[in-house]
């Protein structure tokens, strides 16, 4: 059992990358199965669910999240 907790502690600094990779794989599978429009819709709904869930947990300000999202969306890259 100790080996499992050591392994999880080792992965903890990379949790954002792991979640991002998992989300990208899931979005890719949805894109392959349903197409771009449906994949985009699913991705946007999942993002909205995460933002609303974090707001309800009291971890983030909903308006701040929406401002930063729209700022990111409208910035020129």
């Amino acid at each position: 059992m100790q080996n499992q907790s050591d392994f999880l502690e080792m992965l903890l600094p990379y949790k954002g990358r792991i979640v991002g990779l998992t989300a990208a794989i899931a979005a890719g599978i949805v894109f392959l199965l349903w197409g771009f429009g449906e994949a985009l819709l699913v991705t946007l709904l999942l993002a909205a669910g995460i933002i609303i869930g974090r707001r309800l947990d009291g971890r983030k300000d909903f308006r701040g999240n929406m401002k930063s999202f729209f700022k990111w969306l409208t910035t020129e890259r």
Side-chain angles (χ1 to χ4, degrees), residues 1-74:
M1 197 61 158
Q2 182 65 22
N3 290 337
Q4 184 179 6
S5 73
D6 289 342
F7 180 71
L8 292 176
E9 285 182 30
M10 182 183 73
L11 292 178
L12 193 58
Y14 304 105
K15 66 180 177 183
R17 294 177 192 173
I18 294 169
V19 169
L21 178 63
T22 305
I25 290 171
I29 290 170
V30 169
F31 174 73
L32 288 173
L33 294 176
W34 294 332
F36 178 74
E38 287 82 358
L40 183 62
L41 177 65
V42 168
T43 303
L44 290 175
L45 290 174
L46 286 172
I50 290 170
I51 290 170
I52 292 169
R54 288 183 71 143
R55 166 73 167 112
L56 293 175
D57 288 343
R59 294 178 60 190
K60 291 281 184 179
D61 178 35
F62 183 71
R63 288 184 187 172
N65 280 339
M66 292 309 291
K67 272 186 180 179
S68 64
F69 173 71
F70 285 118
K71 184 177 180 181
W72 174 82
L73 194 62
T74 58

